[in-house]
Each structure stands twice: as structure tokens, then as C-alpha cells.
Amino acid sequence: MPNPDPNLMPIGVFARRCGLTPSALRFYADSGLLRPAEVDPVSGYRYYGADQLPHAAGLRRLREIAMPLTTVEEVLAAEPETAWRLIDEHVAKVVEDAEATRRKAALIKSSLGDTPGLPLATLKGPVLADAIEQVLTATVREPGLPVLGGLHLEATAEAITLTATDRYRLSTRTVAPAEPPPTAWAATVDGDELRSATTALRRSPRVRLDATPHGIRLRLPGREDLHCRLLPEEFPDHRSMLASLPEVTTRVTIAKDVFLRALEELPGEHVTLRMSGQGVRVLAPDGSPLDLTAAVDGSDLRISFELTTLYPAVSTAIGPDVMLDLRGPDQPVTIRSADRGDLTTVAMPVKPDHSAGDQKTRRDEDPMPAPDPTMDAIGAAVTEGRTGDPASARRELLEIWSATGPTGDPLHRCTLAHYLADLYDDPAQALAWDIRALDAADALTDQRVQHHHATLHVAGFYPSLHLNLADNYRRLGSFTAATAHIDAARAHTPHLPQDAYGAVLCTAIDEVAEAITRRNTGKRASSPGPSTG
């Protein structure tokens, strides 16, 4: 049966564009959440309009976070403020249910086999709770890198040492046990589970730590034992990094409260410090100075930080005065109490542009780079496709996509979908992958992409993503949608690098815009795509 309206698309085409299956679309139509624009009265075939794609995408995203259909309907019909509240309430319930399930599962696992725990140490509950909270400020929830959300616990004859790192900041705290551990032990413990345990720890005068095959058991007098699971991933080699630090060239001692107040009043995301014999000068992004009294020994130095790195390192320091040991403008700085050495934080600076008043920064070289086998596998498959075997590359990328899943690491999903789109000649198939790439990019953060490469910014992804969507919509004859995406691509071009890649992309945007104006649906000679297959 021919399409009754050339501006409408059959259910199969619409399904590929929005990322929902035809069966899911039929279900949502029957439930009233997404009715077709038109139904053929004879065949019953369903047709949808391009203007329904945003609604379909919103529906898909809400279902991906396991939202019930009744709540999905409320969110889609609500004003933004109400929709935000409903989403927050749903997420809070999911997190609460997951936490309750996790606690019950941990207790069940710890009781399996009736394996006795290995006693590690007995500590004061409030002291351990403080230590956990101080060190966990250096963790980060990073998809694909769960170990960065963990706390590395080491038991030796001298002390219990807790360490955490997001690879730009590393915090370590030592706690003296009442009795030395009977044996040395080390493992990385789930940070969220330790964080959840701190309230109970504060209410207990002492706690005994026992190691089990899959976690640590926190034994509280008169209370139910708590169990925190171990993370299987290898913790970054922080000891090698600490051992390789250069000699200190500048030492600063400054009142903690005064320093924090200056950082709190500072506008912007970055801070530059200038140390000299006169004290510490804090420079705002606009160049305005704030002079602080401090004792400075050693060489004069100018150094820059992201505020989200420096502030927690200073705020968690113990005591009224904080000491900064500096080694140069591009070297890690050690931050600790001026009179107590049991909590130490190492923070990475950023490298500023030296133009006047300009504090645009990039991450310095990662001191503890984590491998990313998924990105390596994606790169290998893309190389294979570009050297003449697109069918094999497509198969390999699809296998990685299946392993990653629709809620996996957004950088992996964005990269996979972006390159998979290039491996399809059919613009409808390519469009489905380009929509997934844009959806994943919306979930990305600069922190995540800079873990992969220090110079990347999410904003720089959007010109290419919108360009590809515009080109596919153009080839499918949906010129209104194509125009919207080519306009979005142009709006994001200021975020492109000023290099050959940026120039090529700007040229491609002009080519697609001209083709849209001419209502040309042919494939561009310079467009990406498989050379064969």
C-alpha cells in the first residue's frame, strides 16, 4: 500500500530513526503514549511524522531508566518543572531500592559457606567514618572505570591506609589501629557502600574490620554487621606515582579558613595562584588579584588549578593551617595539614593559556592513565573499515555495541554509533545510528572525555554529530529536520579546533547546507560511508 502522505514515514522507517522497535511502537500506540499520525483504514498500516521523533526519543529515554508507563505518561505531558520532579522522584526510588537490594545481597554473600573472616584491625568508629569521608572526596563515578569510585584499603603492621583517586587528585589517610593487623592485606572496596556505612560507624565507639573472600565485614558491637564488596579491577599504581614526584621547590603554609573563603568567593571554574616572598596572590579569571597572608619558602611560582580539584583538597585538610608542597607549574602539588601528616592529597594543576586575563585551561598529562580496551577495539575496527573491509568492521563494531549495551559508557556508545553510521549506505540505517550517537553525547561530560584524551571537549563533538544527522535527513527528503540539524551544526562550530579537521568539517557543513537549499537528495561524493558492501 503506498504511503498516503509523502511527509509521513512507515513504521519501520520511523522505528529505525527513533531507536524503538516496531513492536514497541505498536505497544506504545495501543497504550496511548505514542499514537501514529495516520493509520491506513484498509491495511491498518501505521505512519508517523518527523515531528514525532522528539516525543519518541523522550519516551525511549524514560523507558531506558526503567520508568513505569504511568509515570512516563505524566512526564511527557507535564511542564518542565513537574517533569524534573517526577524524574528525580523515580531516580530516588530506583537508587533506594538498589541500595536495599545491595545490602541484602552483601549479607547473603558474606554468609555463604560460613567462611570465617580474617581480622584486620579494631578502630574507633567515628575516626574511621571521618577517614572514609575525607578520602572519598577524591573518587569519581566513571562509567567503564568503577575502580575510580572505590577506596583502596591497605593493612600493614604500622597502620590502616585508605586511598582514593580520580587520576587528577589522590587522597590518602592513615589510621592507627588499637592492635597491629595479624597479616598484611590490601584490596579496593566499593566507595558507595562504604559511604552508606559511615552513619552507623559514627554511632559505634569501635568497629572491627574483617576481610572476607569478596569484601570487608564491619563488625559493630550490638548492631548488625555491615558488608562492603570488593572491586575486582586493579587500583591505579599510586605508589609509583608518589615515589616519582620531583623535589619540592616551594612550600606554602596558609590559614585554611582564609584560603577556603578566597576560593569560595572566586568567580569561574579555574584559579591561578602566585606564590612569592610577599605571600599568596589569588588571581580570578578576569585577572583581578586577592592577596593572602602566607609563609612562602623557596622559589616564586605561578600555578593554576580547576576549582573542583583544589577546593576539596584544601577543605578536607585537618587542622587550622594547610601546607602546600609545590614542584613547578606543571607538577603535582601535595596538600596536607601543617601539623598533622595522616591525611595527604596530591592534586594535578592545569596548564593555562598565557594571554592576559585568559584562563581557558586543559588538563595536564594524566599522571595515572587508565587503559580503555573498548576504545582500543573500536579504533582497530574503524581502521579495518577504512582499509577496505567495511563489512568486517561493521560486524566487530556491532559486537562491541552488543557488549556495551544501551546504558553503557556514553563515550563508548557515542563513538560506536558515530562510526557505525558511516558504515551504512542506506541513509535510514545510518540515521538510526547517528541518533544514538547524539543521544549518547548528551550524557557525556568533559571529565569523561578528558579521561580518554586531555584535549577533548564534549562541545566539539556536536558539529560532526549534527552534520551527519542533517545529511541523512536530507537524503531521506526530510528537509525541515535537515535544516534544523545543519543550523545546530553551524551553531557549534566555534567549539571546533582551529586546524585541518575543523576546516574540513566547516566545508562539509557548507556543502550539506547548499544541498538542502537545492532539495538535493543524492549522496555527496565527500560524505563518509563504506567504499564497498
Side-chain angles (χ1 to χ4, degrees):
M1 187 79 183
N3 189 336
D5 185 336
N7 293 319
L8 299 179
M9 65 191 86
I11 188 171
V13 174
F14 187 77
R16 288 193 293 271
R17 289 196 186 187
C18 69
L20 292 168
T21 63
S23 60
L25 288 172
R26 294 188 188 96
F27 174 75
Y28 293 139
D30 294 342
S31 62
L33 285 172
L34 180 59
R35 299 188 186 279
E38 188 171 325
V39 179
D40 188 283
V42 177
S43 67
Y45 208 72
R46 307 168 193 229
Y47 296 90
Y48 295 80
D51 60 344
Q52 293 179 282
L53 285 170
H55 187 85
L59 172 56
R60 172 176 54 79
R61 290 169 179 165
L62 292 171
R63 291 295 286 164
E64 284 175 351
I65 62 172
M67 182 175 284
L69 288 176
T70 53
T71 311
V72 168
E73 185 174 15
E74 290 183 66
V75 170
L76 293 175
E79 294 296 322
E81 186 172 343
T82 302
W84 295 337
R85 176 180 58 78
L86 291 169
I87 293 171
D88 288 343
E89 290 174 355
H90 168 71
V91 171
K93 186 177 186 308
V94 170
V95 171
E96 182 181 350
D97 291 347
E99 183 59 35
T101 302
R102 179 190 293 172
R103 287 195 299 268
K104 292 175 182 176
L107 288 173
I108 293 169
K109 287 194 299 183
S110 67
S111 65
L112 291 176
D114 198 25
T115 305
L118 171 68
L120 294 179
T122 298
L123 303 167
K124 293 180 179 178
V127 174
L128 179 58
D130 273 350
I132 290 170
E133 291 184 342
Q134 290 162 347
V135 173
L136 283 180
T137 61
T139 58
V140 64
R141 289 184 178 89
E142 191 61 53
L145 295 170
V147 72
L148 299 184
L151 188 151
H152 193 65
L153 193 151
E154 297 171 276
T156 66
E158 292 78 25
I160 302 295
T161 304
L162 293 73
T163 306
T165 181
D166 62 3
R167 298 187 298 144
Y168 297 112
R169 185 173 71 250
L170 182 146
S171 289
T172 184
R173 169 82 191 268
T174 56
V175 181
E179 296 180 5
T183 184
W185 183 90
T188 304
V189 186
D190 184 275
D192 287 336
E193 295 185 7
L194 281 170
R195 188 179 284 107
S196 298
T198 55
T199 299
L201 292 175
R202 288 191 184 283
R203 296 173 179 169
S204 180
R206 65 185 184 278
V207 56
R208 196 180 92 186
L209 275 65
D210 288 359
T212 70
H214 303 289
I216 60 167
R217 184 183 293 124
L218 305 172
R219 314 203 74 161
L220 312 176
R223 296 175 179 267
E224 186 177 39
D225 291 349
L226 301 176
H227 189 274
C228 301
R229 68 186 179 95
L230 301 184
L231 299 179
E233 297 82 11
E234 184 177 358
F235 194 75
D237 186 6
H238 63 289
R239 292 198 176 280
S240 294
M241 188 276 288
L242 293 173
S244 65
L245 289 175
E247 291 292 324
V248 173
T249 59
T250 307
R251 172 166 287 173
V252 176
T253 304
I254 187 169
K256 174 182 170 181
D257 288 346
V258 172
F259 197 11
L260 285 177
R261 191 157 53 247
L263 296 178
E264 289 166 1
E265 296 173 355
L266 190 73
E269 301 175 358
H270 307 106
V271 56
T272 295
L273 308 176
R274 181 178 293 164
M275 290 77 168
S276 69
Q278 284 72 46
V280 172
R281 171 166 288 188
V282 181
L283 298 175
D286 62 2
S288 58
L290 175 62
D291 291 324
L292 305 178
T293 301
V296 179
D297 295 321
S299 307
D300 291 358
L301 179 67
R302 175 178 173 137
I303 190 168
S304 300
F305 297 91
E306 287 192 0
L307 191 59
T308 53
T309 298
L310 182 61
Y311 187 90
V314 175
S315 65
T316 55
I318 302 170
D321 295 319
V322 64
M323 180 181 291
L324 284 71
D325 281 343
L326 302 112
R327 303 165 175 87
D330 58 352
Q331 294 295 322
V333 57
T334 303
I335 303 169
R336 63 177 185 271
S337 165
D339 54 10
R340 289 183 58 180
D342 51 358
L343 174 66
T344 300
T345 297
V346 178
M348 284 300 296
V350 291
K351 187 175 294 184
D353 293 337
H354 294 292
S355 52
D358 188 0
Q359 289 296 316
K360 293 180 181 178
T361 63
R362 65 171 180 83
R363 287 287 189 186
D364 201 5
E365 184 179 356
D366 195 332
M368 291 175 285
D372 193 336
T374 300
M375 291 299 287
D376 292 342
I378 294 170
V382 170
T383 300
E384 187 174 9
R386 288 174 175 172
T387 54
D389 195 353
S392 177
R394 190 161 51 233
R395 284 193 301 272
E396 292 177 21
L397 291 176
L398 287 171
E399 288 177 3
I400 301 172
W401 177 268
S402 297
T404 301
T407 58
D409 184 336
L411 178 60
H412 295 164
R413 288 190 288 119
C414 182
T415 308
L416 277 165
H418 182 64
Y419 285 123
L420 273 165
D422 290 348
L423 293 172
Y424 288 93
D425 273 323
D426 180 356
Q429 290 178 297
L431 179 65
W433 286 110
D434 282 326
I435 289 173
R436 292 179 183 125
L438 183 63
D439 182 50
D442 289 340
L444 270 173
T445 64
D446 277 347
Q447 186 176 43
R448 171 63 188 104
V449 299
Q450 287 167 6
H451 278 175
H452 176 62
H453 196 287
T455 62
L456 291 178
H457 294 276
V458 178
F461 289 20
Y462 285 105
S464 177
L465 296 173
H466 284 291
L467 168 65
N468 290 351
L469 284 163
D471 203 28
N472 286 317
Y473 277 122
R474 175 191 66 82
R475 292 183 63 195
L476 291 165
S478 184
F479 294 111
T480 300
T483 300
H485 281 287
I486 205 66
D487 289 345
R490 275 217 173 100
H492 286 91
T493 53
H495 301 293
L496 286 172
Q498 301 298 312
D499 57 13
Y501 168 75
V504 168
L505 210 58
C506 288
T507 300
I509 290 171
D510 291 339
E511 289 177 0
V512 172
E514 183 180 353
I516 293 170
T517 302
R518 291 188 284 105
R519 295 299 191 261
N520 183 343
T521 59
K523 183 177 180 179
R524 294 182 299 119
S526 60
S527 65
S531 56
T532 61

